[in-house]
């Protein structure tokens, strides 16, 4: 088999690092052709030395210059900023792994899909804000998205090319995050350190905070709607503290098909690289149900986790609301991580942003980015005056 | 769509009755062309009046005469005994539902598959005693088996045409039966009434006793080996008291795909009739995971349930052993149901039959039936002298 060429966006992030771990185990089947990182030059240099990509991109021209002087390798082309990300995502690769966080991943996704690539996709925010645009591109250019979120890769396997008419509903599972058993007051006063302690998954900072508010699950509802062509009333969230059943699909004939597995992103990453083949897992990550003993399921508590309800509202309303939800959440989480607002402020900021928004129906990328930009400005003003 | 024609073997038994319930709900898609029953003429007459089949078969000539005089319908052809079963299973039907119990189902299965039919298959004993023969027929005549056992129909959906090289192992779940939490001594002294109280499923008498000894799970291990082309070391049994996860498949890449659903045979029956399509469930049989709250898993106790270990031994040894296991079990269960032996005697009888057997490698139907007959004679002698 000819080696498949892989480009990674966000190579020094959580998904990027784990993708490189998987690729290191399968050097006969894949080669790394491009790496895009932000500003972690030290790690990027190590990655470049091990995987020898042809194209590398960093956050800005200054970092690009620094990287160049460290690598001293004229056969590696070095890019920077948005242009670099878009170049890497449309380079001569077969698979683009999009491990970027937030709306930063939108343009590179458009670029990869416009070139008909397979995108292994951990960047749910892109689908939340531009789902219809992405679906149009998939139709036009015959690219494909293989989800990397453990939930959506579970659903991908459960659906397994069955027609969407067969799907009664999607059961999206959620660990419940670190605050599942906490009181509402205690949750509101949670510290950054407490919110970053996820009970079952090790992930990047933004998604870990989103998991604590359950906004992550909310964004995943919208992501699932676009990926699997279902409406909001066909996506149910079940709290499942063990995080072993990553999601399930209930079919119209009463059969539920579920995916279970270890809580390690290397499994979805390997799946997305090889799909539709399956390849022997080279890591000791098989899931021992007998050791786990039980799987529990409960209803989510919308009172304690209002972000989940906000996301359902947005999923139902559609229009420009998902863009506002996502932008307000990104800013609020960033402020919380900088310890400028309390945990309880996150939901308040998003709610204010939603309430003061005049809905539109953006179709083009420019219109989407305009709503995104307007929301960020509006939220920044709100928070500057309030915080 | 042209209506599919269905023949049912064992129409007055548990599977047969439920199949007719399903068919009653889908009269636009199916017609009942043949019904084969034993001696429950009263129920058979009701079934004939409702479903108007062209061919009917009963246990013997006397019952056939009785049925004829009740029905007074010259357009219905009436058959009896083995010949009747084989006629019905090879008549002008598209699907044969084999709901027969024990080795009685072997010849009609051969007949149906020799005519390239789809067999909806609840008759695991046939695969246990003649698995290789059945597989040869499937290859030669392009018929197909869609399993009706809840476990195997679960596995069928989890495998979903994936290549067998992708399967690491099958996780066959078992409720544990009515004696899961009992002591070994108490189990040995269990009454017929106690053994017939299955905690989660309503089924026929023989399979209910087999579920109490766990021999049912043992037979299912061997059935799974033939249906899914795996070896005995690739089939693990997990006790799962809730009987909601009906089985699962672990793939080589660490992903486990499981099927969950209500404990009602109408679900597998509907699946087997429509496969590969799925059709809206007309019964209120959706599975509410939130009401069930938890799914538990534990190792089976081979000390308390030696029949399961016996079945694994037989699965490993192969040759004529599965025929002996099955025949001895059928006789022992029959004696227990007639209250001639104790529950604890079942395993002893099977063990004695195995120990005194000289293994052969039967290939033809005649050779298989010869081992079956010889075992039944030998076990009858053993039990007549011992009981």
């Amino acid at each position: 088999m000819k080696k498949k060429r892989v480009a990674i966006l966000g190579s020094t992030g959580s998904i990027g690092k784990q993708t490189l771990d998987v690729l290191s185990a399968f050097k006969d089947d894949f080669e790394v052709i491009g790496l895009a990182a932000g500003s972690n030059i030290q790690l990027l240099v190590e990655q470049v030395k091990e995987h020898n990509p042809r194209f590398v991109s960093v956050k800005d021209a200054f970092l690009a210059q620094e990287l160049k002087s460290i690598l001293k390798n004229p056969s590696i082309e070095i890019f920077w900023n948005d242009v670099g990300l878009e170049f890497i995502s449309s380079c001569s690769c077969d698979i683009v792994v999009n491990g970027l966080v937030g709306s930063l991943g939108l343009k590179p996704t458009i670029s990869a899909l416009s070139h008909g690539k397979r995108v292994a996709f951990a960047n749910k925010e892109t689908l939340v804000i531009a789902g219809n645009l992405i679906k149009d591109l998939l139709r036009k250019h015959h690219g494909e998205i293989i989800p990397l979120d453990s939930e959506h890769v579970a659903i991908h396997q459960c659906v397994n090319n069955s027609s969407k008419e067969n799907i009664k509903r999607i059961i999206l599972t959620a660990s419940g995050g670190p605050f599942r058993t906490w009181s509402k007051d205690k949750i509101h006063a949670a510290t950054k350190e407490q919110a970053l302690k996820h009970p079952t998954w090790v992930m990047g900072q933004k998604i870990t905070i989103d998991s604590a508010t359950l906004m992550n699950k909310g964004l995943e509802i919208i992501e699932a709607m676009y990926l699997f062509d279902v409406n909001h009333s066909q996506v149910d969230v079940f709290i499942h503290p063990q995080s072993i059943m990553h999601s399930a699909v209930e079919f119209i004939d009463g059969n539920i098909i579920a995916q279970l597995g270890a809580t390690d992103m290397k499994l979805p990453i390997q799946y997305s690289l090889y799909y539709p083949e399956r390849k022997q897992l080279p890591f000791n990550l098989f899931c021992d149900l007998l050791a786990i003993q039980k799987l529990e399921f409960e209803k989510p508590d919308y009172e304690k986790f209002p972000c989940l309800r906000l996301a359902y509202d947005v999923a139902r309303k559609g229009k420009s609301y998902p863009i506002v939800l996502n932008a307000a959440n990104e800013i609020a989480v960033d402020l919380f991580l900088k310890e400028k607002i309390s945990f309880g402020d996150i939901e308040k900021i998003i709610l204010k942003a939603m309430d003061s928004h005049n809905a539109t129906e953006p179709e083009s990328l420019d219109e989407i980015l305009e709503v995104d930009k307007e929301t960020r400005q509006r939220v920044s003003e709100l928070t500057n005056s309030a915080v």
Side-chain angles (χ1 to χ4, degrees), chain A residues 53-96:
Chain A
R54 276 179 58 197
F55 312 112
V56 179
S57 179
V58 289
K59 196 174 181 183
D60 57 39
F62 175 79
L63 290 164
Q65 192 54 46
E66 186 185 340
L67 183 68
K68 194 174 179 180
S69 66
I70 298 172
L71 290 176
K72 293 189 188 75
N73 184 341
S75 71
I76 298 175
E77 290 185 58
I78 298 175
F79 303 82
W80 59 92
N81 72 25
D82 283 11
V83 177
L85 274 178
E86 283 179 62
F87 180 85
I88 301 276
S89 58
S90 58
C91 72
S92 53
C93 61
D94 302 296
I95 303 170
V96 175

Side-chain angles (χ1 to χ4, degrees), chain A residues 121 127 135 145 147 152 222-230:
Chain A
F121 192 74
L127 270 176
K135 280 176 75 174
I145 288 181
H152 299 83
I222 303 171
E223 184 184 10
M225 288 166 59
Y226 287 114
L227 284 175
F228 305 107
D229 210 6
V230 294

Side-chain angles (χ1 to χ4, degrees), chain A residues 15 27 38 51 59 61 85 93 122 138 255 272 329-330 347 351:
Chain A
I15 293 287
K27 291 204 166 174
H51 294 278
K59 196 174 181 183
L85 274 178
C93 61
L138 283 168
N255 285 290
S272 75
N329 182 57
E330 281 189 26
E347 70 193 53
L351 191 60

Side-chain angles (χ1 to χ4, degrees), chain A residues 328-347:
Chain A
N329 182 57
E330 281 189 26
I331 293 189
V333 170
D334 186 56
L335 289 172
F336 176 72
L337 284 169
K338 289 174 176 155
E339 299 184 76
K340 291 190 177 165
I341 62 170
S342 75
F343 191 81
D345 286 337
I346 298 175
E347 70 193 53

